[in-house]
Amino acid sequence: MNNMNYVDGFVAAVPTANREIYRQHAEKAAVIFKEYGAVSVVECWGDDVPEGKLTSFPMAVKCQPDETVVFSWVTWPSRQTRDEAWKKVMEDPRMQPDANPMPFDGKRLIYGGFEMIAEA
């Protein structure tokens, strides 16, 4: 049995002018994730994110010149906790677009769930 945590990872392109709006959006969402069992929520604003030749974070999210790549992750105690929490998160009125609109193009958000296999 794997006793390690489960992680949701996210990469998005956010209009650089929306940095503070994005931070506020992320803080509101983090409260909700933690209410439903997240261990931690980390939001990172791109600072040194090079453009690649074949692949890169900017290419993956079709980052435009007036946008910045953000990299985020949510740590959960288990996949089961995460799966149950996401159902609740998506139904939570505080996460609806009218209550907490995404300050970026959600169609270019990439995400996935990851089983931790090592941690130092």
Side-chain angles (χ1 to χ4, degrees):
M1 180 73 185
N2 182 354
N3 290 331
M4 292 189 147
N5 293 336
Y6 194 82
V7 176
D8 278 320
F10 307 89
V11 180
V14 177
T16 303
N18 285 359
R19 179 179 172 145
E20 181 59 22
I21 296 165
Y22 177 82
R23 190 189 61 74
Q24 292 172 13
H25 166 84
E27 284 186 354
K28 289 176 188 174
V31 167
I32 297 165
F33 287 130
K34 292 193 85 175
E35 276 181 28
Y36 293 125
V39 175
S40 67
V41 179
V42 178
E43 295 284 347
C44 305
W45 190 260
D47 179 56
D48 181 19
V49 187
E51 188 68 56
K53 286 187 168 48
L54 294 177
T55 64
S56 68
F57 281 118
M59 291 168 74
V61 295
K62 299 186 184 329
C63 193
Q64 301 301 306
D66 63 342
E67 293 176 325
T68 300
V69 173
V70 297
F71 176 54
S72 313
W73 64 93
V74 180
T75 305
W76 303 96
S78 67
R79 165 96 191 250
Q80 180 181 350
T81 300
R82 176 263 204 168
D83 289 349
E84 292 169 2
W86 268 108
K87 291 175 197 157
K88 296 172 187 169
V89 166
M90 297 313 288
E91 293 169 0
D92 194 298
R94 296 169 293 173
M95 287 296 288
Q96 300 311 307
D98 57 332
N100 193 15
M102 288 195 305
F104 59 92
D105 181 359
K107 293 183 191 84
R108 291 185 285 135
L109 168 74
I110 59 173
Y111 62 92
F114 300 85
E115 182 181 320
M116 287 178 63
I117 59 170
E119 183 175 16

